[in-house]
Amino acid sequence: MPADGGGVLSPVYRALTLGLVLSVTLVAFLWLGVATVLPAAARDLHGLDHFGWAFTAFMLANLFGTVVAGQGADRHGPTRPYLQMFTLFVFGCLAAAVAGNWWLLLLARALQGAGVGGVLALAYLTVGRAYPDALRSRMLALVASAWTLPALLGPAVAGAVAEVSNWRVVFLILVPLVPIGVLLTLPALRRLDPPEAPAPGGGPRIRLTLLLVLGAGVLLAGLEERDLLVMLPMAAVGIAVSLPALRRLLPAGTLTVRRGMPAGMVVRALVSTAYYGVESFFPLSMIQVLGLSTLESGLALSAGALTWVTGAWFQAKLDQRDAGGGRHSRVVVGFALLLAGDALLTLAIGTDLKSVALAVVGWGIAGLGMGFVYPAVTTLVLGLAAKGQEGAASSNLQLSETLSVAVMTGLGTAVSAYGSAHDWATPTSLGVVFALTSLAALLGIGAGLRTRTRD
């Protein structure tokens, strides 16, 4: 391809640019938008006691899809895994639309998660390979902006569609758009030369990731068991399988929160727990506890996206002003905001207040904190990466995020199952879930202080 081609929307790159942006928009809508309708699906399919697994299955499969797609692209070029991942995405959407019980819906969510993780990994990989240095940063910014519209409008649109039809249609409306994105993207993907040889170490990383996914799944399944004689052995096996794999996949010192990059990995995990853990159960809280409709719940969920964008904008402006010198401090401030927002949600949902206004305000404050922490810690970690290792650092950040969200949603499901077995009211169970996300934000303050290296 030409050195710059005149821009990311020039004739040379236009089809690829539009195809990648549409691909990311589709998977982002599935990631962010369908959260609004999952409570209705759980109610219809009698899955409320296992509600968190709709997100846990998605995130665990997302983790595996990310690694498999990346390794497939290194071995064969991006075209084959791109088609494979979008095939999983489509089958997952179709399976969810026709699911007759909650377990089939969870299988569909796993297919969706693998497809979404793979498509996102391939989108960023393609930007790195197909665009020259002069255009790469602009294209990365454009791909990142593809998340904005689904974040702002996805929950409301999904809620509106479910109101006028039913939740199954939300999964189907994405399918007709997939061929458009694929047809725009494929010609340019086929022109990318595949590597001459497989990337070294790819097989072990896939095996380690599979062990991590299996171990985490066993652990989370064990936490749902009501019989201690079953729960404790399953939890022990899950930890024994996943912990060594995690230790080898992440940078040395991550599990002990060593200063610098390892602490940054922990920050990414905790901020994802504190924010996405709330997002997973927020629509359920709005509908089951506060009596909102699906559409109203979607509109309330969009508040966090709006404040996230606002926080990220402020973080970028402050970054320009102090040349990044204050990023460590903004990580800590962001976690303080997340702690305040999650605590307000705990009060609004888990106590007798039952306040929609307080819940939305709390969610908005949490989103503002996320906007400060997320870009700041990502930039910090990539800045600490050795030259040529930025891709590995980015992959490890994504692994930390995905695993933490899967574990948090699994813990939320375990809390719900325990509450159901002990006759807890729904607000009490959800209040405990939000208290756990508040704890993650509190721990994040300490981890954020350790992102600053001693020199």
Side-chain angles (χ1 to χ4, degrees), residues 168-246:
R168 297 178 186 274
V169 178
V170 174
F171 291 100
L172 292 176
I173 59 177
L174 300 173
V175 174
L177 297 175
V178 171
I180 300 174
V182 170
L183 290 174
L184 286 170
T185 311
L186 274 184
L189 288 183
R190 289 187 173 127
R191 290 197 296 269
L192 296 177
D193 294 329
E196 295 181 359
R205 186 168 177 84
I206 289 178
R207 288 193 292 273
L208 287 171
T209 305
L210 180 58
L211 284 173
L212 178 62
V213 170
L214 291 175
V218 171
L219 169 62
L220 296 173
L223 290 177
E224 286 191 48
E225 289 292 333
R226 301 175 183 180
D227 185 348
L228 285 177
L229 293 178
V230 178
M231 176 194 297
L232 294 179
M234 288 185 68
V237 169
I239 293 172
V241 171
S242 59
L243 200 59
L246 185 64

Side-chain angles (χ1 to χ4, degrees), residues 19-412:
L20 288 177
V21 170
L22 179 57
S23 297
V24 173
T25 300
L26 285 172
V27 297
F29 181 88
L30 183 68
W31 191 319
L32 302 171
V34 302
T36 307
V37 303
L38 284 174
R43 184 177 60 249
D44 290 350
L45 300 177
H46 309 292
L48 288 174
D49 287 344
H50 303 283
F51 177 75
W53 275 98
F55 297 93
T56 302
F58 182 92
M59 297 305 296
L60 289 175
N62 182 297
L63 176 65
F64 192 66
T66 298
V67 175
V68 170
Q71 296 298 331
D74 286 340
R75 294 173 182 273
H76 309 292
T79 302
R80 183 189 298 183
Y82 179 79
L83 290 172
Q84 291 170 341
M85 293 301 140
F86 254 130
T87 299
L88 289 176
F89 176 88
V90 169
F91 273 112
C93 290
L94 294 175
V98 300
N101 60 62
W102 186 243
W103 304 110
L104 289 178
L105 184 68
L106 293 183
L107 175 61
R109 289 290 287 166
L111 293 174
Q112 293 165 15
V116 167
V119 170
L120 289 176
L122 292 167
Y124 288 107
L125 180 147
T126 300
V127 171
R129 292 185 183 176
Y131 294 83
D133 288 340
L135 297 180
R136 198 169 294 147
S137 61
R138 275 177 276 174
M139 187 58 201
L140 284 171
L142 191 58
V143 169
S145 70
W147 284 87
T148 304
L149 195 61
L152 295 176
L153 299 181
V157 170
V161 170
E163 287 285 319
V164 300
S165 54
N166 62 65
W167 59 267
R168 297 178 186 274
V169 178
V170 174
F171 291 100
L172 292 176
I173 59 177
L174 300 173
V175 174
L177 297 175
V178 171
I180 300 174
V182 170
L183 290 174
L184 286 170
T185 311
L186 274 184
L189 288 183
R190 289 187 173 127
R191 290 197 296 269
L192 296 177
D193 294 329
E196 295 181 359
R205 186 168 177 84
I206 289 178
R207 288 193 292 273
L208 287 171
T209 305
L210 180 58
L211 284 173
L212 178 62
V213 170
L214 291 175
V218 171
L219 169 62
L220 296 173
L223 290 177
E224 286 191 48
E225 289 292 333
R226 301 175 183 180
D227 185 348
L228 285 177
L229 293 178
V230 178
M231 176 194 297
L232 294 179
M234 288 185 68
V237 169
I239 293 172
V241 171
S242 59
L243 200 59
L246 185 64
R247 190 189 301 274
R248 292 179 61 186
L249 286 166
L250 292 177
T254 297
L255 299 183
T256 56
V257 202
R258 184 184 300 172
R259 282 189 177 273
M261 182 183 288
M265 299 296 169
V266 176
V267 165
R268 182 69 168 262
L270 290 172
V271 74
S272 300
T273 300
Y275 183 83
Y276 290 122
V278 171
E279 184 182 57
S280 300
F281 293 90
F282 186 85
L284 183 68
S285 303
M286 295 294 101
I287 295 171
Q288 293 287 101
V289 177
L290 300 181
L292 270 62
S293 68
T294 304
L295 175 58
E296 290 168 339
S297 172
L299 292 172
L301 188 63
S302 298
L306 284 169
T307 52
W308 181 348
V309 171
T310 303
W313 182 83
F314 275 119
Q315 150 63 21
K317 288 294 183 183
L318 293 171
D319 229 28
Q320 291 177 351
R321 184 178 301 176
D322 61 19
R327 287 174 190 150
H328 306 85
S329 300
R330 288 191 285 279
V331 167
V332 174
V333 170
F335 269 120
L337 290 169
L338 271 161
L339 176 58
D342 287 3
L344 287 177
L345 273 163
T346 305
L347 290 174
I349 303 298
T351 69
D352 292 336
L353 289 176
K354 303 295 184 296
S355 170
V356 173
L358 188 61
V360 173
V361 169
W363 180 231
I365 293 174
L368 188 65
M370 183 67 161
F372 274 102
V373 178
Y374 198 89
V377 71
T378 301
T379 309
L380 281 170
V381 168
L382 293 178
L384 291 171
K387 187 176 181 180
Q389 296 297 313
E390 295 88 353
S394 178
S395 174
N396 286 329
L397 282 171
Q398 187 65 28
L399 186 153
S400 300
E401 174 181 321
T402 305
L403 180 63
S404 66
V405 177
V407 170
M408 183 60 231
T409 53
L411 283 174

